[in-house]
Amino acid sequence: GAGIEADVPDDPALVDPRHRIVVAWVLREAVTNVVRHSGATRCVVELDTDRMRVTDDGQGTKVHKEGNGLRGIRERVCAAGGTLTLTTGPTGGTVLEVTLD
């Protein structure tokens, strides 16, 4: 509905059951940010047992300051013992990556 092509994993059960709630919450917030702020035409979600990456082809991280949504993601990931990185992708856009222990 947002005009953004989505590439999402076929099997989200790959995520470690201990991390599923945090990953689901972060994924929802990250995709909301892509839709609202990025200007992207494509979004890719990658999942692993202890890692999630959301990549878009939008404006990148230099356009917006870290707002409440990203701050909330960072706090929730940190509380779960994980790390959050937010970078500009190699061809632009934004890469949000969460790694959980």
Side-chain angles (χ1 to χ4, degrees), residues 19 50-52 77-78 80-85 97-101:
H19 304 311
D50 60 355
R51 183 184 63 84
M52 177 188 71
V77 168
C78 185
T83 59
L84 168 76
T85 57
E97 186 166 356
V98 170
T99 305
L100 297 158
D101 296 325

Side-chain angles (χ1 to χ4, degrees), residues 21-101:
I21 291 173
V22 171
V23 167
W25 189 86
V26 171
L27 179 59
R28 182 186 68 200
E29 291 296 319
V31 169
T32 297
N33 283 344
V34 170
V35 171
R36 289 185 181 169
H37 307 296
S38 74
T41 60
R42 186 162 195 268
C43 179
V44 177
V45 176
E46 300 169 82
L47 297 175
D48 203 338
T49 57
D50 60 355
R51 183 184 63 84
M52 177 188 71
R53 180 182 295 159
V54 178
T55 305
D56 69 60
D57 65 353
Q59 301 173 32
T61 57
K62 295 177 184 176
V63 176
H64 299 286
K65 294 190 292 186
E66 184 172 299
N68 290 333
L70 285 173
R71 189 174 313 112
I73 289 172
R74 189 176 302 283
E75 290 171 357
R76 183 154 307 197
V77 168
C78 185
T83 59
L84 168 76
T85 57
L86 187 67
T87 58
T88 299
T91 59
T94 301
V95 179
L96 180 146
E97 186 166 356
V98 170
T99 305
L100 297 158
D101 296 325

